[in-house]
Amino acid sequence: MIPKVRNTVLGMEPYNPGKPIEEVKRELGLTDVIKLASNENPLGPSPLAKQAIINAVDEANLYPDGSGFALRKKLAEKFAVSMDEIILGSGSDEIISMLAQTFISPGDEAVTSAFSFVRYEQAVQLMDGVMKFAPMREYTYDLPAIAKLITSKTKLVFIANPNNPTGTMVDKTAVAEFMENVPPEVLVVFDEAYYEYALSPEYPQTFDYFRQGKNVIILRTFSKIYGLAGFRVGYGFGKPELLNMLHKVRPPFNVNRMAQIAALASLDDDDHVTRSRETNQRGKEYLYAECARLGLEYVPTAANFILIKCKTDANRVFETLLRQGVIVRQIGAEYIRVTIGTMPQNERFIRALQKVLA
């Protein structure tokens, strides 16, 4: 017997991350496995970050700076904001949880798009809130449809841009029109985990709304282009009066010491970011061409992954690729999501996929 569990917890499903390399090796007896499932940077972390961690390893016995002073200071300088307009999280995922804990009471509503990041719903559901979903239009957030779902009970709107798992983005015109229709008391959360990969001139500058004093939170992360997913460090921008409320629920020492040190060093390595973008662009063009050659539908992406529609059952594709040592992410019954890797990784994925389709 265990103590009575909250009804909201009973109705939840645990988050299911992509399979780790070690698990696939262990389960299938493989020795050579590549992971293209979790949108990690295939180049790994910045060399500057690696050296900074080595230099600081003897400090691992010390608690981190709970305020993240040095990292927030450097981010403030980089983005021309004040330090009290920045909050740190153990990944931007933790800040999503903080937002729900801070603003969602039982019966309150949040709105997002169908076919988007599942953690929004889980965070809201845990607080006895109600998540409402607008259908997508051509694999993209339909912001007018989201606006129509906003009611007097709506506290939060989550917009992943670029979106995970489709890779699509909403442009600055669509966002501008949407922001004109959002009631001022509703908090709009722009989840921009992949914004460094979004190179279109039509990508919205959400900092404009932040600087205008709008009720917005902008989430970003070191997990993707900076290659620090294993350290779990994200950050958010918002008005101090908003962030002060989040700090009330933020766990102490939530971003570990090595994560702060690695992130701080990463901000000095513009070359690593440039190389990561170039690797992603070359890989994207290659995978587009190969999907077209194989007659596979795919969704053009603004991020570092591609959503591919399978000709057969997606679970069979996923499992067959797995047995060849290639980990991708199954999305529903029809799709797989593939991280854009190095060129050897991309080529290996295509060879394995051809065997599935043969």
Side-chain angles (χ1 to χ4, degrees), residues 71 87-92 95 220-223 232-236 255:
L71 181 54
I87 189 168
L88 303 180
S90 180
S92 54
I95 306 177
R220 294 183 179 172
T221 184
F222 286 91
S223 293
R232 312 304 302 126
V233 53
Y235 55 104
V255 180

Side-chain angles (χ1 to χ4, degrees), residues 9-76:
V9 175
L10 288 173
M12 294 179 66
E13 292 292 333
Y15 179 72
N16 181 26
K19 276 183 171 289
I21 290 174
E22 296 81 4
E23 180 180 332
V24 174
K25 287 182 175 180
R26 185 173 62 249
E27 289 183 352
L28 299 181
L30 300 175
T31 57
D32 183 13
V33 176
I34 61 169
K35 184 183 177 189
L36 300 175
S38 299
N39 310 334
E40 297 143 336
N41 186 335
L43 301 186
S46 155
L48 296 184
K50 289 190 280 189
Q51 188 59 52
I53 295 163
I54 292 170
N55 294 344
V57 71
D58 287 340
E59 302 171 4
N61 61 308
L62 302 176
Y63 282 108
D65 177 351
S67 72
F69 180 89
L71 181 54
R72 287 192 302 118
K73 184 175 184 292
K74 192 140 194 172
L75 286 167

